[in-house]
Amino acid sequence: MRFLLLFSRQGKLRLQKWFTPLTDREKKKVIRDMMMLVLARPARSCNFLQWRDLKIVYKRWYASLYFCAGLEDHDNELLALEVLHRYVELLDKYFGNVCELDIIFNFEKAYFILDEFLMEGEILETSKVAVGVSLEEADTLQEGEAKEAWRPLSAGAC
Amino acid sequence: MSPSVPLQEMIRAIRSARTQCEERGVIQRECATIRAQFRQADNEGRSHNLAKLLYVHMLGYPAHFGQMECVRMIASPRYSEKRVGYLGAMMLLDEKQDASLLITNSIKNDLANSNQYVQSLALCTLACMGSAEMCRDLAPEINRLLRASNSYIKKKAALCAVHIVRKVQDLGELFAPSARCLLTEKNHGVLHGAVVLITELCECNPESLELVLIRWCQCLVISGYSPDHDVAGISDPFLQVRILRLLRILGHNNEAASDAMNDLLAQVATNTDSTKTVGNAVLYETVLTVLDIKSESGLRVLAVNILGRFLLNNDRNIRYIAMISLQKIVGTDHNAVQRHRGTIVDCLKDQDASVKRRALELSLALVSASNIRSMMKELLSFLSSCPPELRSQTASGIFIAAERYAPSQRWHIDTILHVLTTAGGDVRDETVPNLIQLITNTSELHCYTVHKLYRALHNDISQQPLVQVACWCIGEYGDLLLRGECQEMEPVQVTEDDVLDVLEAVLQSHMSSPSTRGFALTATMKLSTRITENVDRIRSIVSIYGSCIDVELQQRAVEYNALFKKYDHMRYSTEWLGQRFLVFVCSTFVVQSAGLSPPICGFPQVCDLLDLLGGSEPPLQSSPALGSTAPLPVGTAGTAGGDLLDLLGGLEPTAIMTVLLSVFSVAPTVSVYDKDGVTVTLSCEKQSDSGLSITLTASNSTDSDIRGFTLQAAVPKVCISSSFSFQVNLKMRLRISYTSQGSAVQDTVQVDSFPGLGH
């Protein structure tokens, strides 16, 4: 996989993960092109399209959120759909009946979840349960630290 | 984990902005605060600030001032700060930034941290944005983690190693032994990572393949049902697909490996449940593997049948990928794919644009001599309803197919006309000269063609290529049109006025391009010799354009006017009327190298004509000027028209007549090459009213055999399709090459005088 994008029907980017190095300009161009191509597709179309030398797989979830992945030639498109589906399930499990707002207000967590599932464009962990467990433990670690380091907030701090 | 309140407040504030301007204002204020707080040495809410900045960055605003803060946060001992810091590094830093090098040390330290979650952050970030230098630096660390750590870290280290190998191929050797050890793990995540790593190593270095791997793959795929990894009844499809891909690489070009995996692939292909997408994903990968390795024919047939089943699936996605796969093998397993032609052609009618595109490509690849008529029907009906972005491709595909497999000339012409009427705006430029040449060559259909084109033109003058061809045809064969009778169509009475009306409409229409107008004007002019009553009308049409804004048209009109005045007396001499002007479709004589596009009848390349007179060399090879698919602009006829008149000026009318008459008589043979017993003789014959056939006969009078005899003939492109072209010095160059008695001979001969052509 070369990249994974989440964007809304109105063209707002919600998450971007790049698995190859690109300049900022190139990234912006890809995002624009993807939005243009995907948002123009009618409902019930085929979920695959061809763009430059990449295969694009996209799917719409939660009424207005598009998940879009760019694949290389040797990647399996049907499996990519499964990968997107799996990511949605992980989000669902973590947030409990997730919707777009959850992803907006907790975007950093969406990234953390993604990083437990995919790395270098490949799947990291194939078990849903295992991903859930590691996320929980990492969060516990963070909470524990916060409790230990609690002290009265000084005025002027955010 | 509790949400970051400050972050959420900011997000709320940004979202409640009603205009872009307001949003920018909010963001500028926030960024100013964040910048100020970054400058403070210690600060409770550092992670919140960075998170805010990252959100702003995602909206598209500049955030590079946060890079150093990321570096600082990564170095912090607190996990929450590290987490956000590393996220920031992945979003804001990439290998091209200098700041990325600064984190190498932190990553190194964190890789050795006692807490696995800290280690994992470091691994993740290295895999995301590690540059080649960083990779080289940290590779030994990663290798250590591959061997001696828990499964959680091992799987991450494996994919990190994949990143390193992709960046710096040489480091693959370092990881190879560790990778093989990983294959004995039970943990699916580690196994998956190991398979990916080994795939990557095998792609770089095929020598590290071993048959043992295949037996291991076999065990894995058949064994165990693990509920944790189950997806809709398929056990760990992600891992299965990865293993299948590895098998593909192992079996590619390797007979022994392919044999070993035969059974395994057959088993997966038959036992996988195909009711859900997941199962189909595994089947798809299996099919791809079978088709790519040296599989036995039974297995291949099984694979193609699976694709055939996919084609009938209700799910569009499955149909789409079936067609992609079939496209890959249509060259090698043509007959197998032909069996599914019906379904593929049906997919042309699908609503979805992606599916249509695939179906089109595949259909074009499946056209053959036996199915050309039925396929063309389907393709033509597709053309009339296809989305605009596919029209050009469809049109060219139809032309190529028609060119290759046309069952008859008339069918060919009909097909091209059909395409021009349906999608005239989307055809390529060389279609017009190609069609003209085709029409010229099919002399028995001139009458039919001109009638058909006249009718098409009468209905619609907006499709430029069609209009151009129609004008040319009417100009050339207008007398056949006016005669009214035609064997192949119902006769229709066309008067001279009707024809001139149509041509005038083309000239005056705002839809006609300048080159189309040129065609129409020339056609009008040509008709002046073919019709009897309305010459004055023609003269007035032509003289109007003498003051046209378009320079091309103006020049032509002026020259034609001059012809009217000076040479009017020639018009009525009986030898003129009824003669068709020689159309030397000389491109057929031109050397064609294999694989060149069909010969094009370039338009009056009068520059070549003049070069010829000046004695310059006609090109022998398929130089771009001759072989290119872009036709010469028709306008060149106009520019050199003046020179044509000069030609005329030097000759007495009677001399011209003699010359022309002699063209049409049968000429004797003349020898053009005679050396060492190999002779080539040339004779010219009038083939038809508009063509001249030159026959070259080669003979060998030596005792030994001649091998590899090739004869190449070239003349300068003198395609004279505008009228009032007169006798020119025709020259031909022959290149003869052959092997005789072991030695190769190559000679070039120029033929300056053609028997019977005079000069």
Side-chain angles (χ1 to χ4, degrees):
Chain A
M1 203 182 284
R2 291 262 185 100
F3 59 80
L4 176 64
L5 302 173
L6 262 71
F7 49 84
S8 73
R9 185 126 192 91
Q10 284 74 41
K12 293 259 195 248
L13 191 64
R14 299 298 177 208
L15 187 143
Q16 51 177 326
K17 189 75 185 177
W18 305 91
F19 298 111
T20 44
L22 288 178
T23 62
D24 267 342
R25 269 186 81 189
E26 287 166 344
K27 286 183 190 170
K28 287 208 165 75
K29 174 104 189 16
V30 172
I31 293 169
R32 259 203 319 271
D33 283 351
M34 286 302 109
M35 287 192 187
M36 206 168 59
L37 282 176
V38 169
L39 294 175
R41 302 274 284 180
R44 279 190 291 279
S45 319
C46 179
N47 293 106
F48 309 130
L49 19 112
Q50 192 72 24
W51 177 77
R52 296 196 192 167
D53 61 329
L54 296 180
K55 304 196 264 205
I56 306 294
V57 177
Y58 75 93
K59 194 137 157 81
R60 199 174 90 165
W61 266 289
Y62 315 126
S64 62
L65 197 57
Y66 285 86
F67 288 63
C68 172
L71 306 177
E72 291 175 341
D73 203 42
H74 50 73
D75 286 325
N76 183 325
E77 298 97 313
L78 292 178
L79 200 73
L81 271 180
E82 287 302 309
V83 168
L84 294 179
H85 190 69
R86 174 58 68 89
Y87 182 47
V88 169
E89 287 178 330
L90 292 171
L91 288 170
D92 217 18
K93 181 121 184 292
Y94 185 84
F95 288 110
N97 270 331
V98 65
C99 65
E100 194 185 337
L101 282 179
D102 289 317
I103 300 179
I104 296 172
F105 281 94
N106 298 285
F107 75 96
E108 80 276 19
K109 300 202 194 81
Y111 275 99
F112 296 150
I113 297 171
L114 188 62
D115 287 338
E116 285 298 318
F117 174 50
L118 295 177
M119 195 199 269
E120 185 58 13
E122 310 286 348
I123 296 173
L124 183 53
E125 176 56 62
T126 55
S127 155
K128 269 188 281 195
V129 171
V131 175
V133 163
S134 25
L135 283 170
E136 256 184 65
E137 290 186 3
D139 284 347
T140 316
L141 180 60
Q142 191 164 339
E143 294 286 295
E145 233 177 35
K147 290 203 183 81
E148 272 171 36
W150 182 86
R151 37 182 201 265
L153 294 175
S154 49
C158 68
Chain B
M1 189 175 110
S2 48
S4 156
V5 174
L7 170 64
Q8 300 206 332
E9 276 174 9
M10 183 194 80
I11 296 178
R12 223 167 271 135
I14 293 175
R15 282 171 62 82
S16 61
R18 270 161 307 190
T19 64
Q20 186 74 14
C21 197
E22 224 181 295
E23 183 183 286
R24 264 202 298 273
V26 173
I27 289 179
Q28 265 172 6
R29 278 195 298 279
E30 286 288 344
C31 283
T33 323
I34 294 171
R35 238 193 280 243
Q37 301 209 317
F38 280 172
R39 268 180 250 131
Q40 290 180 356
D42 68 353
N43 188 335
E44 265 313 304
R46 279 166 74 185
S47 45
H48 301 296
N49 284 330
L50 188 55
K52 282 193 209 173
L53 184 60
L54 294 178
Y55 183 81
V56 163
H57 171 75
M58 193 155 64
L59 289 179
Y61 295 89
H64 37 262
F65 60 87
Q67 286 174 6
M68 285 314 293
E69 184 67 12
C70 293
V71 175
R72 256 175 265 136
M73 300 259 291
I74 288 173
S76 151
R78 298 180 61 183
Y79 177 69
S80 54
E81 292 185 355
K82 272 197 206 282
R83 217 180 184 190
V84 182
Y86 274 118
L87 179 62
M90 285 194 272
M91 285 176 77
L92 300 180
L93 294 175
D94 58 40
E95 54 183 38
K96 298 191 185 84
Q97 313 274 6
D98 296 328
S100 61
L101 285 175
L102 296 173
I103 64 175
T104 315
N105 215 29
S106 300
I107 293 183
K108 199 173 196 156
N109 292 335
D110 284 337
L111 283 175
N113 195 298
S114 50
N115 188 315
Q116 67 178 20
Y117 292 104
V118 174
Q119 285 177 305
S120 107
L121 286 177
L123 285 168
C124 192
T125 309
L126 182 59
C128 181
M129 40 76 73
S131 64
E133 270 180 55
M134 288 164 75
C135 289
R136 255 187 268 266
D137 245 348
L138 298 167
E141 245 331 276
I142 306 295
N143 199 16
R144 189 184 65 79
L145 288 173
L146 272 180
R147 288 178 176 278
S149 55
N150 61 30
S151 330
Y152 180 75
I153 292 300
K154 272 191 191 159
K155 74 184 185 209
K156 297 209 175 194
L159 287 183
C160 200
V162 170
H163 175 84
I164 293 177
V165 171
R166 283 180 185 165
K167 273 267 178 277
V168 185
Q169 295 212 339
D170 304 331
L171 290 172
E173 292 165 359
L174 175 64
F175 294 117
S178 325
R180 243 172 256 144
C181 293
L182 286 178
L183 288 179
T184 54
E185 295 269 337
K186 291 276 176 273
N187 182 304
H188 279 228
V190 179
L191 277 176
H192 189 278
V195 174
V196 177
L197 180 56
I198 292 185
T199 311
E200 201 61 39
L201 292 174
C202 286
E203 273 176 0
C204 305
N205 182 9
E207 279 136 31
S208 52
L209 311 179
E210 273 177 30
L211 275 177
V212 154
L213 269 177
I214 297 166
R215 266 182 268 283
W216 166 83
C217 290
Q218 202 150 359
C219 296
L220 191 61
V221 174
I222 299 173
S223 76
Y225 162 71
S226 159
D228 266 359
H229 301 99
D230 186 83
V231 180
I234 315 269
S235 65
D236 210 338
F238 302 110
L239 184 56
Q240 281 197 43
V241 165
R242 260 336 200 135
I243 293 176
L244 286 165
R245 198 186 323 169
L246 176 58
L247 289 177
R248 187 150 83 229
I249 295 178
L250 293 175
H252 189 67
N253 280 336
N254 184 333
E255 293 258 0
S258 306
D259 284 337
M261 58 179 85
N262 240 336
D263 290 337
L264 170 59
L265 291 172
Q267 192 162 4
V268 176
T270 35
N271 291 345
T272 308
D273 176 25
S274 61
T275 46
K276 295 266 174 63
T277 311
V278 183
N280 286 325
V282 176
L283 278 175
Y284 177 43
E285 196 73 25
T286 317
V287 166
L288 287 179
T289 302
V290 168
L291 295 175
D292 207 32
I293 63 175
K294 298 218 175 291
S295 48
E296 56 162 23
S297 59
L299 197 52
R300 267 188 113 79
V301 167
L302 180 58
V304 178
N305 285 346
I306 292 179
L307 289 179
R309 266 200 345 254
F310 278 179
L311 273 180
L312 299 167
N313 197 306
N314 281 331
D315 188 341
R316 271 206 182 104
N317 294 335
I318 312 264
R319 290 208 294 272
Y320 179 87
I321 54 140
M323 285 196 277
I324 292 190
S325 316
L326 286 171
Q327 185 85 36
K328 289 191 194 140
I329 57 167
V330 76
T332 47
D333 299 72
H334 191 92
N335 291 333
V337 183
Q338 278 282 6
R339 253 176 267 145
H340 304 285
R341 197 179 73 237
T343 327
I344 294 169
V345 166
D346 278 339
C347 287
L348 281 173
K349 305 189 189 95
D350 195 299
Q351 303 282 23
D352 184 274
S354 307
V355 173
K356 271 200 201 352
R357 183 187 291 272
R358 292 287 158 215
L360 174 66
E361 281 177 18
L362 204 45
S363 304
L364 288 174
L366 287 177
V367 174
S368 72
S370 49
N371 59 34
I372 179 74
R373 281 191 198 265
S374 52
M375 284 299 275
M376 198 49 82
K377 255 199 276 265
E378 298 286 346
L379 287 170
L380 287 174
S381 80
F382 175 69
L383 183 63
S384 45
S385 60
C386 77
E389 62 268 12
L390 289 178
R391 286 191 20 183
S392 169
Q393 191 180 353
T394 316
S396 2
I398 290 179
F399 285 151
I400 293 175
E403 179 89 30
R404 269 202 216 131
Y405 303 114
S408 74
Q409 299 276 43
R410 178 176 155 166
W411 183 93
H412 193 173
I413 291 181
D414 278 343
T415 307
I416 300 187
L417 288 182
H418 192 135
V419 173
L420 288 181
T421 17
T422 333
D426 297 297
V427 300
R428 282 208 295 263
D429 293 336
E430 70 265 17
T431 316
V432 172
N434 282 348
L435 181 54
I436 289 184
Q437 187 188 349
L438 180 64
I439 293 174
T440 320
N441 287 340
T442 357
S443 43
E444 62 274 14
L445 288 175
H446 284 163
C447 187
Y448 168 75
T449 316
V450 73
H451 269 95
K452 203 144 181 206
L453 280 169
Y454 172 74
R455 257 172 244 198
L457 194 59
H458 201 62
N459 287 335
D460 175 19
I461 57 171
S462 62
Q463 306 272 34
Q464 298 302 298
L466 183 64
V467 172
Q468 288 175 6
V469 176
C471 286
W472 178 84
C473 216
I474 292 175
E476 199 69 17
Y477 309 118
D479 50 331
L480 293 176
L481 180 63
L482 294 166
R483 228 182 278 157
E485 37 173 80
C486 179
Q487 292 155 325
E488 319 224 6
M489 290 175 81
E490 319 146 6
V492 113
Q493 216 29 46
V494 180
T495 67
E496 294 178 4
D497 273 316
D498 291 334
V499 175
L500 288 174
D501 281 341
V502 162
L503 286 174
E504 235 182 326
V506 171
L507 277 170
Q508 288 164 358
S509 162
H510 62 278
M511 294 185 281
S512 303
S513 68
S515 52
T516 310
R517 287 216 181 90
F519 271 90
L521 192 61
T522 309
T524 317
M525 196 55 192
K526 285 193 208 174
L527 283 178
S528 68
T529 56
R530 312 221 193 281
I531 63 179
T532 45
E533 289 156 14
N534 284 344
V535 181
D536 285 329
R537 184 173 170 188
I538 293 184
R539 197 196 293 240
S540 66
I541 295 176
V542 169
S543 53
I544 289 174
Y545 282 88
S547 43
C548 172
I549 282 184
D550 186 298
V551 178
E552 279 308 322
L553 285 179
Q554 193 191 86
Q555 187 160 13
R556 267 188 220 217
V558 165
E559 285 153 8
Y560 291 156
N561 254 332
L563 281 172
F564 265 119
K565 293 187 197 116
K566 270 177 151 186
Y567 298 102
D568 225 17
H569 57 279
M570 278 166 50
R571 189 183 307 286
Y572 299 105
S573 73
T574 47
E575 285 88 359
W576 272 135
L577 281 177
Q579 293 287 11
R580 256 182 239 309
F581 292 98
L582 295 172
V583 178
F584 287 115
V585 186
C586 295
S587 47
T588 53
F589 297 154
V590 167
V591 172
Q592 270 190 70
S593 56
L596 239 199
S597 56
I600 53 165
C601 180
F603 269 100
Q605 195 174 8
V606 188
C607 323
D608 267 10
L609 182 74
L610 299 176
D611 283 343
L612 181 62
L613 296 175
S616 64
E617 319 210 327
L620 281 179
Q621 284 106 308
S622 39
S623 64
L626 282 180
S628 72
T629 51
L632 303 150
V634 184
T636 48
T639 44
D643 301 345
L644 267 181
L645 292 179
D646 287 340
L647 261 183
L648 288 182
L651 297 170
E652 290 297 324
T654 46
I656 301 170
M657 301 315 305
T658 326
V659 154
L660 267 177
L661 281 177
S662 63
V663 169
F664 293 107
S665 55
V666 177
T669 324
V670 91
S671 164
V672 293
Y673 177 79
D674 187 348
K675 184 176 158 190
D676 294 335
V678 179
T679 52
V680 176
T681 58
L682 179 149
S683 67
C684 308
E685 247 177 58
K686 173 185 161 190
Q687 183 193 49
S688 67
D689 278 341
S690 58
L692 181 74
S693 128
I694 295 183
T695 315
L696 295 159
T697 320
S699 58
N700 170 20
S701 57
T702 64
D703 288 337
S704 54
D705 286 339
I706 300 244
R707 284 185 223 293
F709 184 86
T710 46
L711 178 73
Q712 296 168 325
V715 294
K717 240 202 273 192
V718 180
C719 187
I720 304 164
S721 54
S722 68
S723 15
F724 304 112
S725 51
F726 296 96
Q727 188 51 40
V728 299
N729 268 335
L730 186 63
K731 293 188 189 177
M732 185 188 281
R733 279 240 179 131
L734 299 173
R735 186 196 282 168
I736 300 158
S737 58
Y738 58 89
T739 321
S740 165
Q741 289 168 329
S743 57
V745 179
Q746 194 184 74
D747 274 317
T748 312
V749 173
Q750 177 154 331
V751 182
D752 289 321
S753 63
F754 285 77
L757 285 191
H759 277 279

